[in-house]
Amino acid sequence: MHIWGREKDMLLEAKNISVSYGAVKAIEDVTFKVNDGEIVAMIGPNGAGKSTALKAVFGMVDIQSGDILFNRESIKDLRPDEHVSKGISLVPEGRRLFPSMTVIENLEMGAFLREGNNGKADIENILELFPALKDKRRQKAGVLSTGEQQMLALGRALIQKPKLLLADEPSLGLSPSYVDTIFEKLIAINKSGTSVLLVEQNARMALEIAHRGYVFKIGQIFLEDTGKNLLESEEVKKAFLGG
Amino acid sequence: MEYLLHILIISGIYIILTLSLNLILGYTGLPALGHIAFACVGAYTSSLLALNFGVSPWIGLLIGACLASLLGLIIGFPSMRLKGDYLALATFGFGVIVYSVSKNWVDLTRGPMGLPGIPKFIVFGFELQPVWAYLILVTAFVAVTAFIINRIVNSPFGRILRSIRDDEVASLSIGTNINKYKLTVFVIGAFFAGIAGSLYAHYITFIDPSSFTVMESIAVLLMVVFGGMGNIKGSFIGALILVIFPEMLRFLGMPSSIAAPLRQMIYGLLLIILMIKRPQGIIGEYRFK
Ligand SMILES: Nc1ncnc2c1ncn2[C@@H]1O[C@H](COP(=O)(O)OP(=O)(O)O)[C@@H](O)[C@H]1O
Ligand SMILES: [Mg+2]
């Protein structure tokens, strides 16, 4: 019983985190959160530190200060593989498939290290979600088109049944029709109960589908608001939406 | 005839070395340039145990392989932090260190004077004196090594190794504990290389540091690359061809004072040609990035 009512459940909370690569400060004192059920977008110019923030959440880079909580439990000292078992999956920047393996094998790899996966049925579910991959199931991932590769990268993360999906620029380098497909899929994934933290160059589309958004500028967050408000903000319009 | 059997025994020992390096280099994609150091540890361990304490070569072989594994674990550590060329240089450095120790720790290894009179294996109370008998022993070891490595690379564990080789970031993102796997392949690879070293020592009955120079690591690397990275048959082909081919120089009447350096030059040349013409090797599926 919550006497004061209850805020939406906080799934992820990054509090005042800083990351450096050697002498280069990539992000400094950055704070953001993802509530259960949300799509949260991170936008901002190249080199602003969006990918670094995502990598910090996934444990791929060490944070120098601050803390990261997932379901109110600190995850900042966990290895990436431990994040996966906690329910956080990453679609890395540039897709990063296993080119020498087939579509099916790539999906299997995603399911491999997760306990309680039920192999074939899970793979079929993913193929239902991305019908374009169905006919290519025996092809090597290396020969797929960029758009198909992105679907596969997304599928490989989803087969892990994450509670939180981290996606780093999933629309980068895709033809417009595939960009649309990717965003549709992200909405569908979210509707089915997965929260999404999305880093995007394509600020307009990202903010359109996002419940909330953060705008990065040289290593810091300088704006945060609902997706709708950010779309209408003069600053965002000028900087990212072409006027 | 005896000479032919001898060449086959040496080939077999190199096949074990090549298979074990293939696990590290070909299947996991870790450029390791100090592989002969593991053989060095295996060879010296079982030789010294036999010479100084009368330990049976069988037990020495096992202890040597375990010590080599331990060294593999140590060499594996930089592989967690270093990538590509840097890892290659670090493992190269390890190879140089182990070689230097074998050469300069004279009290233990007798340094450049080497260790003569290493006893042979004893089977059912008989010393493995005849060359054909030793060939059978080496062949058995080759078969076991190939069987085990083949099992490893075709298991789910092996699939994860391939994923690390294909793309480390991708492998991380699907939840691989990459460091654990890297250390494990170094430990396993070193184990078999240690066995190869021991087999060599108890066959030739004399070892000195010159058998374990960095050049030998390069030769084994070349065998892996030549036959094909990430391919078991390739390791057989690579080792057989690169052991037997230089031996044929002798039949052309080349004295060994010329044949030995010529072997190295042939290897160097082959490496260059291979990188230009066929980086995936004869039947490999993977090439250097
Ligand atoms: N591996 C790295 N080593 C050194 N500097 C890096 C590395 N990755 C990113 N950086 C630097 O950190 C800053 C933030 O980069 P990044 O997080 O990739 O930004 P974004 O994803 O917003 O484009 C940039 O200045 C970039 O050059
Ligand atoms: Mg980025």
Side-chain angles (χ1 to χ4, degrees):
Chain A
M1 191 87 90
H2 296 273
I3 301 174
W4 303 107
R6 191 169 166 179
E7 246 198 297
K8 260 195 143 175
D9 270 338
M10 190 131 50
L11 188 62
L12 176 82
E13 186 180 20
K15 290 195 288 199
N16 310 100
I17 59 170
S18 303
V19 176
S20 306
Y21 298 103
V24 184
K25 277 213 166 93
I27 53 174
E28 204 177 356
D29 201 21
V30 163
T31 296
F32 54 89
K33 64 174 179 178
V34 178
N35 293 318
D36 203 4
E38 275 187 329
I39 297 180
V40 173
M42 288 178 165
I43 62 169
N46 242 330
K50 306 177 299 295
S51 295
T52 301
L54 222 51
K55 285 180 189 161
V57 171
F58 197 64
M60 281 169 84
V61 294
D62 293 333
I63 60 174
Q64 269 89 42
S65 62
D67 200 358
I68 302 175
L69 307 179
F70 185 67
N71 282 328
R72 295 196 160 74
E73 184 189 328
S74 177
I75 54 167
K76 77 170 158 127
D77 296 322
L78 300 187
R79 297 186 308 262
D81 56 297
E82 294 171 314
H83 283 71
V84 173
S85 38
K86 290 255 176 235
I88 304 178
S89 293
L90 172 75
V91 183
E93 193 169 5
R95 299 168 282 282
R96 315 300 287 253
L97 298 167
F98 304 117
S100 79
M101 299 185 201
T102 65
V103 167
I104 294 288
E105 285 172 331
N106 267 273
L107 291 175
E108 281 169 358
M109 288 307 295
F112 237 24
L113 298 156
R114 169 153 190 126
E115 284 166 42
N117 84 80
N118 75 39
K120 287 210 164 54
D122 285 350
I123 287 175
E124 289 310 314
N125 285 339
I126 297 292
L127 291 177
E128 284 309 318
L129 186 62
F130 301 108
L133 297 178
K134 266 191 189 167
D135 305 335
K136 317 225 157 164
R137 55 171 81 205
R138 305 255 163 258
Q139 290 189 18
K140 292 264 159 84
V143 305
L144 300 180
S145 76
T146 321
E148 289 160 351
Q149 288 188 0
Q150 189 64 60
M151 306 285 174
L152 184 52
L154 210 50
R156 191 184 60 191
L158 286 176
I159 204 164
Q160 299 177 326
K161 301 180 179 156
K163 294 194 206 77
L164 175 64
L165 180 73
L166 311 171
D168 198 347
E169 310 237 11
S171 78
L172 194 69
L174 269 54
S175 64
S177 70
Y178 268 121
V179 172
D180 289 344
T181 318
I182 287 286
F183 279 96
E184 280 164 25
K185 297 298 177 192
L186 286 173
I187 294 173
I189 291 161
N190 178 247
K191 288 247 163 71
S192 69
T194 304
S195 305
V196 180
L197 180 55
L198 171 67
V199 165
E200 258 301 331
Q201 288 281 318
N202 193 332
R204 182 187 300 278
M205 293 193 74
L207 292 176
E208 273 169 7
I209 69 163
H211 300 95
R212 291 184 309 106
Y214 294 91
V215 184
F216 277 69
K217 198 153 96 178
I218 34 180
Q220 296 190 308
I221 289 174
F222 86 109
L223 270 181
E224 73 168 279
D225 210 329
T226 61
K228 198 156 169 272
N229 287 348
L230 286 174
L231 270 174
E232 281 156 15
S233 131
E234 287 305 321
E235 275 168 292
V236 173
K237 273 189 192 162
K238 231 192 311 186
F240 305 111
L241 306 175
Chain B
M1 185 60 195
E2 191 117 310
Y3 176 69
L4 183 69
L5 297 181
H6 166 74
I7 297 303
L8 287 176
I9 289 172
I10 297 296
S11 302
I13 291 171
Y14 273 101
I15 290 173
I16 296 176
L17 286 169
T18 306
L19 283 168
S20 59
L21 180 61
N22 205 349
L23 181 70
I24 300 170
L25 173 74
Y27 286 96
T28 320
L30 304 172
L33 293 189
H35 205 59
I36 208 72
F38 304 131
C40 182
V41 169
Y44 270 97
T45 305
S46 65
S47 302
L48 286 170
L49 285 174
L51 289 171
N52 295 341
F53 304 104
V55 174
S56 142
W58 292 106
I59 295 173
L61 175 133
L62 197 63
I63 297 177
C66 290
L67 274 185
S69 275
L70 191 67
L71 188 76
L73 187 68
I74 295 169
I75 292 186
F77 272 103
S79 77
M80 307 185 348
R81 294 224 144 245
L82 302 175
K83 303 240 159 76
D85 304 345
Y86 296 100
L87 179 58
L89 281 174
T91 51
F92 184 85
F94 262 110
V96 173
I97 291 171
V98 170
Y99 168 74
S100 299
V101 169
S102 71
K103 192 164 169 179
N104 294 308
W105 192 354
V106 178
D107 290 344
L108 181 72
T109 65
R110 293 180 22 110
M113 291 176 294
L115 299 174
I118 301 167
K120 298 218 162 203
F121 283 97
I122 298 190
V123 180
F124 301 125
F126 294 99
E127 201 173 58
L128 270 195
Q129 194 60 50
V131 183
W132 60 262
Y134 210 83
L135 180 59
I136 293 175
L137 178 75
V138 168
T139 306
F141 271 99
V142 169
V144 170
T145 308
F147 176 78
I148 293 177
I149 295 204
N150 189 43
R151 278 300 275 272
I152 291 174
V153 299
N154 288 312
S155 68
F157 180 93
R159 180 86 81 74
I160 292 171
L161 299 184
R162 258 169 67 202
S163 81
I164 295 174
R165 180 191 75 187
D166 267 17
D167 190 330
E168 262 190 42
V169 172
S171 194
L172 257 186
S173 74
I174 56 156
T176 307
N177 182 351
I178 290 192
N179 292 341
K180 188 178 88 183
Y181 286 88
K182 285 184 176 175
L183 285 181
T184 311
V185 292
F186 267 109
V187 167
I188 299 173
F191 184 86
F192 287 106
I195 289 180
S198 205
L199 286 174
Y200 175 81
H202 295 284
Y203 168 61
I204 303 285
T205 69
F206 171 80
I207 53 169
D208 69 351
S210 73
S211 301
F212 307 104
T213 61
V214 164
M215 193 52 217
E216 283 307 310
S217 289
I218 308 273
V220 178
L221 177 103
L222 188 56
M223 290 169 191
V224 174
V225 177
F226 187 79
M229 288 193 275
N231 190 300
I232 301 278
K233 276 188 223 124
S235 289
F236 279 83
I237 294 174
L240 279 170
I241 292 182
L242 291 184
V243 170
I244 293 171
F245 177 62
E247 283 301 324
M248 297 197 315
L249 294 174
R250 279 186 226 264
F251 289 111
L252 301 176
M254 203 86 71
S256 20
S257 61
I258 300 180
L262 205 58
R263 170 177 171 244
Q264 302 196 348
M265 277 153 65
I266 291 174
Y267 283 178
L269 196 65
L270 259 177
L271 191 55
I272 296 172
I273 296 172
L274 206 59
M275 285 300 106
I276 297 171
K277 287 290 179 197
R278 204 172 159 78
Q280 74 274 39
I282 294 180
I283 49 177
E285 57 162 67
Y286 171 67
R287 56 173 70 192
F288 272 115
K289 290 203 189 96

